[in-house]
Amino acid sequence: MINVTINDIKLQVPEGTTILDAAKMVNINIPTLCHLNLHDIKMVNRTASCRVCLVEVEGRRNLAPACATECFDGMIIRTNTKRAIRARRTMVELLLSDHPTDCLVCEKNGNCDLQRIAAELGIRKIRFEGEQSTYQKDSSSGALYRNPDKCIMCRRCETMCNEVQTCSVYSAIDRGFETVVGPAFNLPMLDTQCTFCGQCVSVCPTAALTEVSYVQDVWNALHDPDKYVIAQTAPAIRVALGEEFGLKPGTIVTGKMVAALRRLGFKKVFDTDFAADVTIMEEAKEFIDRLNGKGRLPILTSCCPSWVKFIEHQFPELLDIPSTCKSPHMMFGAIAKTYFAEKFNIPADKIVVVSVMPCIAKKYEIQREELKSDGVQNVDYVITTREFAKMIREAGIDFTKLPDEDFDNPLGESTGASVIFGTTGGVIEAALRTAYEWATGETLQDVEFHGVRGFEDGLKEATVKLKDMELKIGVAHGLGNARRLLEDIRDGKRFYHAIEIMACPGGCIDGGGQPYHHGNLEIVKARMNALYEEDRRKPLRKSHENPAVLKMYEEYIGEIGGHKAHKLLHTHYTP
Ligand code: HC1
Ligand code: SF4
């Protein structure tokens, strides 16, 4: 331990502690902008590029950035001197002097860290004027929107993409005044190895990275009398949407979410969870087939489009191991435009399917050729949790006062197994609940597989007994962890029977389209607990017990894994 003094307060800190962390220990707040410490997922952005956290250190001529300066024994620090405060203000003014001042109409208005810090530092005037850098905007992917004019070179996106997700899409490009963070050669994002997980969007402090918005398209469809617009909601929405309206993280708002969609004008409000149950029917069957020698092991879950794009780019030699199942929301789209359309006599070409998702990659996924039916998209638009919240506000709906309403049927019925899809480990747990009963013919008494749960471990392993067989299960969340797992499988260092991979740390609960958590991962953990709570509340907790799903197989699809199921519910991958 070493002794330091901050603003006359003496304290002891472990060696290697930064001034910023030491100050926190005695409740002294040093403002930061580029700094971000997501300890649970091992991401620390310590570029010290914004210089907003400058402090005075006795005996040193220059001010020191608190986020990147380690304490030494006997260090005397002052965080609130006139010189330090003036320097911080100057740094922010310099950033603002090369930043668009369109805050009132900016996507991040009210959520922007630069805006917040300017307000906190009391900046009312920018003393520096001059040329502003302007760059090409990029919405080529239809998923991720890049507006480099708003980049403040904090490099958070770079740290997230390169160190956590290991996709290495971003770096500093160009020189001098033109320097900005972007993909190599400033390629359109669609032409890069970006998986559109949107984790860069989650950590971008400004609106340099956001989602491509489809709010206006959805309004247009809702106001078109010729269209029959239906919504499906992902599992992770119901435990995060409340945050947008001031509710505590982890508040379950399923009923209000349904009511809000009805008031926005959706003809039917359905649940992606229904399709998650369908996914389990198909995936558990595929798993058991592979266990019986029909196909290669391990089987990899395939509902995360970002992870699918990752394996296509990074491990093309392993493309025969992901399950051929489409993701649940794509299955839903195919079911809505066939089974639902025929059953309720609605022309399929009038149906507009809107997916409300925590995810940015889903916006890209719906455009994939492999997932279209005769060239037609099965899902028409994806809006994120944040976009959905905007629509609710635009419509003047008082969300917290809404009554709790139920989903429409038949595509609104779901089990607890489908709800936990939204968190890391949930998809494989849901698959195990069904595969166990189908493979053994026995009733599974305890449906909770705690070995595959949890946020802290990026790579989890569990063993599940299936009669006289020991199933080895692997779970990875975050693409860096997925990479480690896949390298070991490719090199024959690890063996599993089944693996779940979700691109976002924690799974969809921390998707790139969720309400901003501003670096507080406790919010993500609260969402996770809420999903498990929702599972416990459900009367049915195994996908193969969903009566609406069973009826659909009986009336329309026929055999699980059969010809029609393959046509509607399965896909293939592209190296
Ligand atoms: Fe997900 Fe899924 S869980 S991928 O994370 O399998 O987005 O929530 O909708 O499709 O069901 C996302 C969430 C979601 C699909 C399901
Ligand atoms: Fe989207 Fe979920 Fe995958 Fe994240 S983990 S990219 S939110 S599907």
Side-chain angles (χ1 to χ4, degrees):
M1 298 291 266
I2 53 175
N3 298 301
V4 294
T5 308
I6 310 179
N7 299 353
D8 296 326
I9 301 171
K10 294 188 188 313
L11 70 153
Q12 288 203 318
V13 298
E15 256 180 76
T17 305
T18 62
I19 296 175
L20 184 68
D21 288 336
K24 269 190 206 141
M25 290 175 196
V26 286
N27 300 320
I28 292 174
N29 180 36
I30 301 173
T32 56
L33 182 54
C34 66
H35 176 76
L36 189 66
N37 185 346
L38 301 179
H39 175 263
D40 286 320
I41 61 166
K42 301 183 183 61
M43 171 184 160
V44 186
N45 193 49
R46 211 176 271 169
T47 46
S49 58
C50 74
R51 318 305 272 188
V52 166
C53 64
L54 290 174
V55 296
E56 289 210 60
V57 175
E58 205 171 283
R60 288 201 178 171
R61 199 165 48 157
N62 294 335
L63 295 170
C67 71
T69 308
E70 289 184 4
C71 298
F72 56 80
D73 195 36
M75 194 180 213
I76 298 174
I77 304 148
R78 294 210 168 269
T79 70
N80 53 5
T81 62
K82 193 171 166 188
R83 186 174 165 226
I85 292 170
R86 198 164 54 198
R88 276 179 212 148
R89 293 177 55 108
T90 303
M91 293 320 298
V92 174
E93 280 183 73
L94 284 168
L95 283 173
L96 292 173
S97 73
D98 188 20
H99 196 86
T101 47
D102 60 348
C103 298
L104 281 181
V105 289
C106 177
E107 182 63 27
K108 285 294 270 292
N109 187 10
N111 254 317
C112 170
D113 289 343
L114 180 60
Q115 187 185 47
R116 175 185 51 78
I117 208 122
E120 278 175 16
L121 294 179
I123 293 172
R124 291 286 171 270
K125 187 165 153 287
I126 302 159
R127 283 172 292 158
F128 314 106
E129 278 179 18
E131 198 187 340
Q132 292 213 338
S133 12
T134 51
Y135 307 87
Q136 186 91 21
K137 321 288 179 284
D138 179 9
S139 57
S140 57
S141 62
L144 191 100
Y145 182 63
R146 234 185 108 232
N147 180 356
D149 291 2
K150 299 195 172 179
C151 173
I152 58 167
M153 293 290 291
C154 70
R155 324 291 280 264
R156 284 184 184 180
C157 57
E158 213 179 311
T159 308
M160 174 57 85
C161 187
N162 301 354
E163 293 177 19
V164 180
Q165 300 297 63
T166 66
C167 293
S168 302
V169 172
Y170 296 120
S171 61
I173 51 173
D174 245 317
R175 289 289 179 273
F177 187 63
E178 297 302 317
T179 311
V180 74
V181 175
F185 309 112
N186 210 10
L187 284 174
M189 292 300 280
L190 187 61
D191 298 340
T192 70
Q193 301 205 346
C194 177
T195 69
F196 310 120
C197 71
Q199 286 302 305
C200 55
V201 173
S202 294
V203 297
C204 176
T206 68
L209 294 164
T210 52
E211 65 267 60
V212 175
S213 177
Y214 293 93
V215 166
Q216 197 49 52
D217 304 81
V218 174
W219 279 129
N220 291 346
L222 286 168
H223 294 144
D224 184 340
D226 269 350
K227 299 290 181 201
Y228 190 95
V229 190
I230 63 176
Q232 59 165 325
T233 57
I237 309 294
R238 65 208 70 198
V239 293
L241 179 63
E243 291 162 32
E244 289 276 339
F245 301 96
L247 298 176
K248 215 167 99 217
T251 307
I252 303 171
V253 295
T254 316
K256 294 189 192 324
M257 171 185 81
V258 172
L261 285 163
R262 277 211 186 97
R263 278 152 186 73
L264 291 179
F266 287 91
K267 290 268 193 312
K268 296 279 179 200
V269 182
F270 290 136
D271 202 354
T272 312
D273 294 20
F274 167 88
D277 280 332
V278 179
T279 305
I280 291 302
M281 303 289 276
E282 293 296 319
E283 208 164 83
K285 165 84 168 56
E286 194 183 347
F287 182 31
I288 293 170
D289 283 350
R290 293 209 206 177
L291 282 175
N292 290 329
K294 289 189 224 145
R296 187 173 162 191
L297 289 169
I299 186 170
L300 268 66
T301 56
S302 53
C303 34
C304 167
S306 165
W307 135 240
V308 166
K309 195 159 185 285
F310 182 79
I311 192 172
E312 286 176 334
H313 284 300
Q314 313 280 347
F315 295 89
E317 67 279 26
L318 294 180
L319 278 180
D320 54 342
I321 53 176
S323 156
T324 58
C325 288
K326 290 180 184 173
S327 70
H329 97 117
M330 294 309 300
M331 285 196 183
F332 179 93
I335 291 166
K337 291 192 179 180
T338 54
Y339 172 62
F340 170 73
E342 289 171 35
K343 192 172 164 78
F344 292 88
N345 216 8
I346 304 160
D349 60 357
K350 283 192 185 300
I351 296 179
V352 175
V353 177
V354 177
S355 297
V356 185
M357 296 277 131
C359 180
I360 287 181
K362 300 263 176 205
K363 291 174 186 269
Y364 161 79
E365 182 186 30
I366 59 172
Q367 308 165 53
R368 288 187 64 134
E369 288 304 322
E370 308 87 323
L371 294 168
K372 290 180 181 168
S373 304
D374 303 322
V376 178
Q377 279 186 206
N378 286 322
V379 172
D380 298 275
Y381 302 109
V382 169
I383 56 168
T384 60
T385 319
R386 293 189 295 259
E387 288 174 273
F388 177 30
K390 278 193 189 112
M391 291 184 74
I392 295 172
R393 281 192 283 266
E394 273 182 47
I397 295 168
D398 190 346
F399 183 78
T400 57
K401 303 264 167 54
L402 285 170
D404 288 340
E405 293 182 7
D406 286 332
F407 286 105
D408 288 302
N409 272 325
L411 311 186
E413 210 159 319
S414 69
T415 69
S418 64
V419 174
I420 57 174
F421 263 56
T423 178
T424 168
V427 181
I428 207 80
E429 179 168 340
L432 285 171
R433 291 179 189 180
T434 291
Y436 181 92
E437 293 208 349
W438 283 356
T440 61
E442 293 165 9
T443 303
L444 183 64
Q445 298 303 342
D446 182 5
V447 298
E448 298 187 0
F449 291 83
H450 289 272
V452 296
R453 295 184 177 189
F455 183 85
E456 278 80 7
D457 292 331
L459 269 179
K460 288 167 283 190
E461 288 187 349
T463 307
V464 175
K465 237 179 143 17
L466 205 68
K467 281 204 161 148
D468 46 1
M469 194 171 176
E470 297 238 304
L471 287 186
K472 286 204 75 182
I473 309 295
V475 176
H477 56 118
L479 290 172
N481 296 317
R483 181 186 291 282
R484 283 197 282 141
L485 192 73
L486 290 175
E487 280 171 354
D488 284 357
I489 290 170
R490 183 193 59 199
D491 301 342
K493 291 186 187 155
R494 292 181 200 237
F495 173 78
Y496 297 100
H497 293 93
I499 293 173
E500 177 202 292
I501 294 180
M502 299 304 272
C504 296
C508 297
I509 44 171
D510 191 18
Q514 290 282 61
Y516 293 109
H517 54 58
H518 296 283
N520 181 359
L521 294 183
E522 294 307 311
I523 291 175
V524 179
K525 291 179 199 168
R527 295 174 190 161
M528 173 184 280
N529 292 335
L531 282 184
Y532 286 123
E533 171 65 30
E534 183 85 330
D535 168 32
R536 282 193 295 274
R537 284 185 192 177
K538 288 270 193 180
L540 297 174
R541 298 178 70 188
K542 301 167 194 160
S543 295
H544 58 284
E545 292 178 350
N546 182 328
V549 169
L550 296 173
K551 192 158 177 221
M552 179 181 73
Y553 273 95
E554 193 187 303
E555 287 180 353
Y556 192 74
I557 294 185
E559 195 192 341
I560 302 164
H563 177 70
K564 199 158 185 176
H566 264 274
K567 188 164 180 304
L568 280 181
L569 310 175
H570 289 253
T571 184
H572 61 276
Y573 305 102
T574 323

